[in-house]
Amino acid sequence: MSWFLVILGGVFEVLFASCLGKVRQTSGTEMYLWFAGFLVSLIISMGLLMKATQTLPIGTAYAVWTGIGAVGSAIVGILIFKEPATFWRLFFITTLIGSIVGLKAVSH
């Protein structure tokens, strides 16, 4: 159950990063709504991580959580925000995914 919380927290981390991207692109009321989404997503993400670390090692849980956020945010950046999908960017996203899987595999 704790790993599920870490993964879900990582998804909310992607969501709060995406909301920040939308804050940059909007103004007025819409900007404040995206900012509210950022704050809510941030609180949920941190809360899920906090709950998961009650039974998981903090270093491993945090690394997996941030890795999910980093990979997810990079993918959202490419697909939604039209950021470049260069060979090296995709290569390092792939190595980051391998590192996340490896950390989870060796944790107890």
Side-chain angles (χ1 to χ4, degrees), residues 31-49:
M31 179 189 70
Y32 291 111
L33 291 173
W34 283 111
F35 186 70
F38 161 76
L39 290 176
V40 170
S41 300
L42 177 66
I43 290 167
I44 293 170
S45 182
M46 293 287 180
L48 291 168
L49 178 64

Side-chain angles (χ1 to χ4, degrees), residues 49-87:
L49 178 64
M50 182 179 70
K51 181 69 175 161
T53 58
Q54 291 175 346
T55 57
L56 295 174
I58 184 69
T60 303
Y62 182 74
V64 170
W65 176 78
T66 56
I68 291 168
V71 167
S73 296
I75 292 170
V76 166
I78 291 167
L79 297 177
I80 304 295
F81 296 106
K82 307 300 183 212
E83 295 174 358
T86 64
F87 169 80

